[in-house]
Amino acid sequence: MIEADRVTHLGGEPEIIDTPSSSGKGQKIARCPRCRIAVWSNYAGAGPVIRFVRVGTLDQPDHLPPEIHIFTASKQPWVVIPPDVPSMPEYYERESYWPPESLARRLAILPTIEAYQTSLRDGQR
């Protein structure tokens, strides 16, 4: 999860695909137009402000192992969650798990997210 303005495209512009989600609000998945691999998603809450980047698309994905596993209630039985990494059946309280620096970055971008949500309510997007 990272601020969209901190993401640099190394290739062409991704193709944005509207996709249903469990929330009913959908998500937009950015896919490489050449190989069709999902690069990131934008979820309804933060819209285009935050990108949920697929770690496997990064140059060094092994530098970013999961710090928490979420929505494990719907995981496949053959997926083994390491016992030393927190896991949650659904989402979690970020204040309990995020480092102070990450919480500060979230606070800094909240006004942009709120402006996006307001624009949706006002029918501007």
Side-chain angles (χ1 to χ4, degrees):
M1 175 186 324
I2 190 165
E3 300 91 333
D5 62 1
R6 293 181 182 216
V7 176
T8 302
H9 300 182
L10 299 179
E13 284 295 312
E15 181 180 359
I16 307 299
I17 309 294
D18 287 316
T19 308
S21 67
S22 296
S23 71
K25 297 178 181 178
Q27 65 173 298
K28 294 184 183 301
I29 300 178
R31 292 189 175 276
C32 171
R34 186 172 47 82
C35 68
R36 311 297 302 147
I37 294 294
V39 182
W40 71 75
S41 289
N42 295 112
Y43 294 96
V49 179
I50 299 288
R51 291 183 177 167
F52 291 77
V53 177
R54 303 301 201 284
V55 72
T57 66
L58 301 175
D59 289 340
Q60 297 177 323
D62 54 320
H63 288 193
L64 296 167
E67 294 176 353
I68 189 167
H69 294 272
I70 58 174
F71 297 102
T72 60
S74 61
K75 77 171 184 63
Q76 294 298 308
W78 45 263
V79 172
V80 179
I81 305 292
D84 60 333
V85 179
S87 67
M88 303 294 150
E90 299 296 328
Y91 200 65
Y92 60 99
E93 290 292 325
R94 68 181 63 85
E95 290 78 10
S96 299
Y97 293 93
W98 285 18
E101 302 81 21
S102 296
L103 292 170
R105 282 176 60 182
R106 180 178 179 276
L107 282 177
I109 202 164
L110 272 180
T112 306
I113 293 170
E114 290 166 355
Y116 166 74
Q117 292 170 342
T118 299
S119 73
L120 289 179
R121 285 190 297 273
D122 295 345
Q124 296 174 1
R125 290 191 187 191

